[in-house]
Amino acid sequence: DTGVSQNPRHKITKRGQNVTFRCDPISEHNRLYWYRQTLGQGPEFLTYFQNEAQLEKSRLLSDRFSAERPKGSFSTLEIQRTEQGDSAMYLCASSLMTSGETDTQYFGPGTRLTVL
Amino acid sequence: AQKVTQAQTEISVVEKEDVTLDCVYETRDTTYYLFWYKQPPSGELVFLIRRNSFDEQNEISGRYSWNFQKSTSSFNFTITASQVVDSAVYFCALSEYANDMRFGAGTRLTVKP
């Protein structure tokens, strides 16, 4: 059973450019989460999907951030018009939601974004 | 509002020492879940344990043990006979709902040979 994978692992971009990250969850998992982690802090929740439905997006940091999961499998996180403050590690996690209980999230290796 | 506090920013021990990482949480809900994750230098968060609010039994897994006390809103993590490979940042997290997990700021543990 392969884990959560993320691509690219590192991205360097210039301020003002758009970037897109991809996350492939564990194959049978129906939930997918995006987090941002800045240096010295814990991960900060951004958004999540159950299958293809985005159930929470109010915590996305600004309207420059958007995420999709078109077929309920992989997901993409896009940041438009990047700013230096967007430099961070972007983490993806997936889980299998089978009942009303909180599920356990399994994380990918992250994409480290550097905005110059 | 939910909040997780890990007051210890950094801890340094010598190999074979026992070490306890503290986690204090705040929540208004009676049903919630607590987690510990390990983040080694490679960066990937590794799941260690999940506990629901109705299960206050302490848990032991090899050299790892967890002490959950609702009376003090704490979920502390102890590593017995620490090893160099235990060096990592450890995060405590709280989830009140099935989707929103709040992490503490983490404790960086360094185990010296």
Side-chain angles (χ1 to χ4, degrees), chain A residues 37-90:
Chain A
Q37 186 178 20
T38 54
L39 202 61
Q41 299 298 317
E44 175 188 11
F45 172 81
L46 297 178
T47 187
Y48 89 105
F49 295 83
Q50 179 155 322
N51 299 311
E52 63 274 11
Q54 190 172 12
L55 298 186
E56 172 61 67
K57 55 183 179 181
S58 65
R59 304 266 290 278
L60 285 167
L61 300 165
S62 78
D63 58 9
R64 297 184 297 105
F65 288 70
S66 64
E68 292 184 343
R69 194 183 184 197
K71 296 182 180 178
S73 56
F74 73 91
S75 175
T76 57
L77 177 70
E78 182 181 18
I79 308 174
Q80 296 183 327
R81 305 181 303 281
T82 53
E83 302 173 354
Q84 287 184 327
D86 296 332
S87 296
M89 177 77 86
Y90 290 85

